[in-house]
Amino acid sequence: MKILSLNQIKKIDQYCIDHENISSIELIERSAKSCLNWIIHNYRNLKKIILLAGNGKNGGDGLSLARMLYQQYGSTVITIYILNISNHFSPEFIINKNKILKYGGIELKTIHEGEDFPIFLDNKNSLLIDAIFGIGLNRPIKKYWKSFFHYINNENKFISVISIDLPSGLFMEKNKNNFEGIIKATHTLTFQSPKLPFFLSDYANYIGKWHLLNIGYKESYTNEMYVKNFYIDDILIKSIYKKRKKFSHKGNYGHGLLIGGYHGMIGSIALSAKASFRIGIGKLSVYVPRCGYQILQILIPEAIINTDLEDQFISNIPINIHVNAIGIGMGMGGKTITAYALESFFLKNKKNKIPMVIDADAINILSNQFKIINFIPEKTIFTPHPKEFRRLCGPWKNDYQKLDLLKKFSKKYKIYIVLKGAHTVISTPNGNLYFNSTGNPGMATAGSGDVLSGMITGLLAQGYTPKQSCIMGVYLHGLAGDIASIEKNEESIIAEDIINYIGKSYQKIKMYQK
């Protein structure tokens, strides 16, 4: 799914008006109706609704919704406050305000700049709806309104705070946010496409849980739009997934090589190996220190185990040109001799250009000896967590800078980066970003990243492209975690649970094909 810019959303609105014989007011009615249906479905027996409307287009959305709420619940339930933020009143605001005034039974209260803030009576039983700015905010808001939003956030006894399209005070695309001047939503109801801030941890406490509402836009125009940001959904996965053929054999699904392990850390490479098999790899070799031999022979009898001459760490990595994909770094440690072995290995593999996943300690070694990155083949996949990425690329002040670093690093070295997190984000060599839609906080557990690296390596070996392997890998990884959270719970998930639910994840994506 495409993540559209503010300018593109405006173009789509105008396209609908020009080509679908629909007015901007009718578009607002669609949006308001979808919000109404969501509220009715999710909240029963509402006793009090407070709606805050700005005097722009988002305020027009809010007043249209207010009229529908009045029709649904009556005037004793709905209370409307208009925030007189500027002297400019959008046509959508004026038209919907006049529609409300025709009813006669709805009181429109106005809050003027400088006035005492209203006291929200019975707010314990109130639903607060924020329809002040939406996505249209393009300049810093005044001190009074920042204070008002801060006041709303401290009135924290509402049943819920629902923001329409985007929490008011939050810029959709600019990093000029004053966090004290943003309304904290419990739910954000948005339209057309997800908004970029939804995927950034800086704004999680303000957006709450977001919901994409269908307001009947045709997809033909959106499909033609060029974007750089994407949301990984089931439609994209459906286009990538390759169904197995009846007469295939293990040779059709690739031979992978995993390299890693250190005394006391053999579990990392074991998890990666198990995940590679569960994701469908045909054959797998594992290279570890000698101390890992017996452990892996017992834990993973399906794998071919090869060992280093050293007992507790890796000192030399022989290149195997007969494999289809390599995953390296899981639990490998950072000894100097291991770093030299890694440098030599990368130099050899640069000539062979075997698809590769670089994870964990291999990334840390690269960060300390950065010249090694010049030996990395193009289209290699890096799978860091945020601290590893910080060591590799340096610090950032906010999430927008972090995304900028991701794109620049991927483009400069022509590599893929899978930055793990709540919405794991994939950056591509051409500067595109893909945000994952699956996963939950229960996956924040030791070994979860090792599982992901093994899955991506297994997909690479099966013949998926590096981009497809990243997208399929993070989606299936998160989906397995989601199934585990349902059948167990978030707090009790361990990395092996994610592996054990990969099969059910495949079952689910096969349903997309039907």
Side-chain angles (χ1 to χ4, degrees):
M1 180 185 295
K2 293 180 177 180
I3 301 173
L4 304 178
S5 68
L6 177 59
N7 186 49
Q8 287 173 325
I9 292 171
K10 290 179 178 179
K11 285 182 177 180
I12 288 177
D13 284 347
Q14 192 58 49
Y15 178 86
C16 291
I17 293 168
D18 294 340
H19 295 84
E20 296 183 20
N21 194 28
I22 185 172
S23 68
S24 62
I25 298 301
E26 288 173 308
L27 283 176
I28 283 178
E29 290 288 297
R30 285 187 191 179
S31 302
K33 182 66 174 177
S34 66
C35 291
L36 175 71
N37 291 337
W38 188 92
I39 291 169
I40 291 172
H41 180 75
N42 288 278
Y43 293 92
R44 309 289 183 184
N45 304 316
L46 285 172
K47 303 297 183 184
K48 192 71 174 176
I49 301 172
I50 299 167
L51 189 141
L52 307 177
N55 47 24
K57 190 173 182 294
N58 194 248
D61 288 340
L63 293 181
S64 178
L65 174 59
R67 189 184 75 254
M68 295 178 186
L69 289 167
Y70 166 76
Q71 294 168 337
Q72 180 73 27
Y73 297 105
S75 61
T76 58
V77 173
I78 180 77
T79 301
I80 305 168
Y81 291 89
I82 295 175
L83 279 61
N84 191 22
I85 292 173
S86 72
N87 295 323
H88 173 74
F89 300 88
S90 73
E92 294 85 0
F93 170 84
I94 294 170
I95 290 171
N96 280 292
K97 180 182 177 182
N98 290 334
K99 284 184 178 182
I100 285 182
L101 293 174
K102 288 180 181 179
Y103 282 89
I106 309 178
E107 181 183 3
L108 296 178
K109 300 181 179 182
T110 303
I111 303 174
H112 296 279
E113 185 178 346
E115 292 182 345
D116 291 339
F117 300 146
I119 298 173
F120 299 116
L121 298 175
D122 301 322
N123 63 312
K124 286 183 180 180
N125 299 312
S126 299
L127 180 69
L128 182 72
I129 299 175
D130 157 33
I132 304 168
F133 290 128
I135 63 174
L137 184 64
N138 57 14
R139 62 176 66 90
I141 59 176
K142 294 182 179 179
K143 184 177 180 181
Y144 173 83
W145 299 113
K146 287 181 185 176
S147 299
F148 180 55
F149 293 172
H150 182 70
Y151 167 71
I152 290 170
N153 292 339
N154 288 332
E155 285 284 311
N156 57 5
K157 297 177 182 177
F158 299 108
I159 298 171
S160 288
V161 176
I162 296 176
S163 289
I164 307 301
D165 227 5
L166 203 66
S168 290
L170 176 60
F171 287 93
M172 179 175 161
E173 295 177 334
K174 299 178 181 178
N175 186 41
K176 295 182 179 180
N177 290 296
N178 183 317
F179 292 104
E180 292 185 359
I182 303 173
I183 288 180
K184 289 183 178 180
T186 315
H187 299 278
T188 298
L189 308 184
T190 198
F191 319 105
Q192 186 56 45
S193 86
K195 312 304 186 282
L196 185 58
F198 294 174
F199 309 106
L200 307 181
S201 61
D202 287 348
Y203 310 114
N205 290 334
Y206 300 91
I207 290 162
K209 189 173 182 181
W210 60 272
H211 309 269
L212 187 60
L213 304 185
N214 184 0
I215 55 175
Y217 283 102
K218 292 183 178 178
E219 296 182 359
S220 55
Y221 184 59
T222 308
N223 291 341
E224 296 175 0
M225 283 187 159
Y226 175 76
V227 302
K228 300 286 285 182
N229 300 323
F230 299 84
Y231 184 55
I232 301 172
D233 59 5
D234 53 3
I235 297 173
L236 180 56
I237 296 301
K238 180 180 177 180
S239 70
I240 294 173
Y241 172 64
K242 301 174 184 178
K243 189 176 180 180
R244 292 197 169 203
K245 296 179 180 179
K246 181 178 179 180
F247 291 102
S248 59
H249 53 83
K250 68 180 180 182
N252 297 120
Y253 302 109
H255 182 185
L257 170 64
L258 294 178
I259 303 164
Y262 182 81
H263 185 260
M265 294 289 291
I266 299 300
S268 296
I269 199 79
L271 288 168
S272 295
K274 285 184 177 182
S276 290
F277 276 117
R278 286 292 183 193
I279 206 70
I281 199 169
K283 185 178 177 182
L284 182 67
S285 296
V286 184
Y287 187 83
V288 291
R290 287 194 312 173
C291 64
Y293 178 77
Q294 188 172 4
I295 298 170
L296 293 181
Q297 286 284 29
I298 294 170
L299 287 178
I300 316 159
E302 300 89 349
I304 302 165
I305 313 301
N306 298 299
T307 65
D308 195 275
L309 293 176
E310 292 289 340
D311 182 63
Q312 298 193 353
F313 55 86
I314 288 174
S315 63
N316 178 61
I317 307 171
I319 188 72
N320 186 344
I321 61 173
H322 301 297
V323 297
N324 304 104
I326 298 169
I328 188 166
M330 296 73 81
M332 192 166 67
K335 290 186 73 68
T336 302
I337 192 170
T338 304
Y340 286 137
L342 189 68
E343 180 178 354
S344 175
F345 173 77
F346 285 153
L347 184 59
K348 295 173 187 174
N349 190 52
K350 187 175 183 180
K351 301 173 185 177
N352 299 309
K353 298 182 179 179
I354 300 170
M356 184 163 50
V357 177
I358 300 178
D359 187 32
D361 288 323
I363 294 175
N364 293 330
I365 290 171
L366 275 170
S367 301
N368 293 325
Q369 300 187 41
F370 200 74
K371 65 175 184 177
I372 301 177
I373 201 166
N374 296 314
F375 305 149
I376 304 297
E378 293 181 4
K379 299 182 180 180
T380 292
I381 300 169
F382 283 57
T383 55
H385 59 55
K387 284 188 177 180
E388 290 165 348
F389 181 65
R390 191 181 294 271
R391 295 185 196 114
L392 188 66
C393 294
W396 56 86
K397 293 181 180 179
N398 53 64
D399 281 339
Y400 282 98
Q401 285 190 1
K402 178 178 69 178
L403 294 183
D404 192 48
L405 279 173
L406 264 176
K407 290 186 285 188
K408 286 180 177 178
F409 201 83
S410 286
K411 291 174 75 173
K412 181 176 181 179
Y413 295 104
K414 297 181 176 59
I415 60 172
Y416 292 85
I417 302 177
V418 178
L419 181 59
K420 294 173 279 197
H423 284 287
T424 293
V425 56
I426 301 161
S427 62
T428 69
N430 63 359
N432 289 347
L433 297 178
Y434 289 80
F435 295 88
N436 192 30
S437 59
T438 58
N440 63 82
M443 299 176 70
T445 185
S448 178
D450 300 313
V451 173
L452 176 60
S453 299
M455 292 172 71
I456 295 175
T457 304
L459 290 165
L460 269 179
Q462 291 177 66
Y464 287 94
T465 67
K467 178 179 172 182
Q468 291 172 337
S469 298
C470 291
I471 292 171
M472 278 281 288
V474 301
Y475 186 88
L476 284 169
H477 181 257
L479 186 56
D482 288 341
I483 297 171
S485 73
I486 294 169
E487 299 196 5
K488 296 178 180 291
N489 60 71
E490 288 183 355
E491 288 76 12
S492 68
I493 293 175
I494 61 173
E496 196 144 3
D497 292 328
I498 301 171
I499 296 170
N500 292 336
Y501 284 103
I502 291 173
K504 286 195 174 183
S505 299
Y506 265 131
Q507 288 178 357
K508 193 162 185 176
I509 67 169
K510 285 179 180 179
M511 293 173 63
Y512 304 157
Q513 302 279 351
K514 297 179 180 179

